[in-house]
Amino acid sequence: LTKKFGGLVATNDVSLELRKNEILGIIGPNGAGKTTVFNLLSGFLPYDEGMVEIVAGNGAVLSPKNPHSFAQAGVGRTFQVVQPFGKLTVLDNIMIGAFSKHHSTTEAKHKALQVAKTVGLYKERNMVASSLTIGGLKRLEVARVLAMEPRILLLDEVMAGQNHADVLKTLEMIRRVRSTGVSIIAIEHNMHAIMNISDRVVVINSGVVIAEGLPSEVVQNKEVIEAYLGEEYTHA
């Protein structure tokens, strides 16, 4: 995928493959083009060159072009800035996502309760959303997307700004989500967390993929160390 903003090449021939039931981590410096990649993979930006292909459950190959068609193809995403319906309860927030697939209130509520358990918000289901911690709000953002029953989930810095306890809850949540059969791509700056959770890691710098492989391989890559991690990370 290539995307240009005037003279700026935000992504330059970025190629990714997400495998079934995989957690793929994407790391890189600020401004590397990671969120642009997510916008291209969810239809929020049109790409200038390249293609996105999704293998549907029935084996058909889909090439969606806008956010609605990506959602229809089973792609769900979160955003860095969480925007809950603050005056509604946690359960009502999740039900809003569930209504995309379930048209009866009873069915939507049933789905929302299932998702609340998956993301660890079942006890908080009757709380007003604005009263949640930042970690709770991040998990609520994930819950609204999960209620839409995606096959592919794009997580954009879902652990940012969280304390250690909330990060652990989020890691547990991601593992539970994957266990339900959802494939995941996660952008993250928390290196310990993303290396712990990912099956493979892709490193992007200045809009270009500079490394790809197992977490243990990527952290030893000299180009990755120089561009992003730093020598101290390797020794740590």
Side-chain angles (χ1 to χ4, degrees):
L1 295 173
T2 296
K3 180 63 183 177
K4 301 174 183 177
F5 298 102
L8 172 67
V9 182
T11 61
N12 188 1
D13 195 21
V14 170
S15 294
L16 304 171
E17 179 185 55
L18 176 66
R19 300 164 187 167
K20 189 174 182 179
N21 212 35
E22 179 182 45
I23 299 175
L24 178 67
I26 298 181
I27 65 172
N30 287 328
K34 302 183 299 297
T35 296
T36 298
V37 169
F38 262 25
N39 287 334
L40 297 174
L41 292 178
S42 53
F44 285 86
L45 278 177
Y47 40 83
D48 297 319
E49 297 173 23
M51 66 177 68
V52 178
E53 292 185 334
I54 299 167
V55 181
N58 61 4
V61 178
L62 309 175
S63 297
K65 300 297 182 186
N66 55 54
H68 178 71
S69 59
F70 270 91
Q72 292 293 103
V75 178
R77 70 163 293 182
T78 66
F79 294 86
Q80 289 181 21
V81 179
V82 294
Q83 294 184 317
F85 295 94
K87 295 182 180 180
L88 299 181
T89 66
V90 168
L91 187 61
D92 287 340
N93 268 268
I94 303 173
M95 285 177 67
I96 289 170
F99 277 123
S100 69
K101 289 288 179 71
H102 302 279
H103 301 300
S104 90
T105 301
T106 301
E107 290 177 355
K109 185 174 183 179
H110 179 70
K111 180 63 182 181
L113 287 169
Q114 286 181 325
V115 171
K117 291 176 182 177
T118 299
V119 302
L121 287 175
Y122 187 77
K123 291 181 180 179
E124 295 87 354
R125 64 190 183 280
N126 295 319
M127 290 174 53
V128 175
S130 59
S131 65
L132 293 175
T133 64
I134 183 62
L137 289 170
K138 291 276 190 174
R139 293 198 301 279
L140 179 58
E141 175 92 349
V142 175
R144 280 194 308 192
V145 179
L146 284 179
M148 299 171 67
E149 302 178 17
R151 295 173 58 248
I152 298 168
L153 179 62
L154 310 181
L155 299 176
D156 196 349
E157 295 195 31
V158 74
M159 287 176 263
Q162 297 190 31
N163 59 37
H164 182 66
D166 275 334
V167 167
L168 292 178
K169 289 179 183 177
T170 302
L171 289 174
E172 291 172 8
M173 174 196 72
I174 293 172
R175 291 189 181 100
R176 283 196 299 271
V177 170
R178 191 255 288 274
S179 72
T180 66
V182 177
S183 304
I184 298 168
I185 306 179
I187 293 173
E188 194 55 59
H189 280 293
N190 185 322
M191 285 299 97
H192 178 75
I194 197 67
M195 293 299 179
N196 184 275
I197 201 76
S198 298
D199 298 306
R200 288 186 302 125
V201 174
V202 171
V203 188
I204 298 177
N205 187 37
S206 299
V208 177
V209 174
I210 61 171
E212 179 180 350
L214 300 174
S216 57
E217 297 169 344
V218 167
V219 297
Q220 300 297 327
N221 184 296
K222 289 185 178 181
E223 192 173 359
V224 175
I225 293 169
E226 292 175 3
Y228 185 48
L229 296 178
E231 294 287 350
E232 65 278 3
Y233 181 85
T234 307
H235 298 313

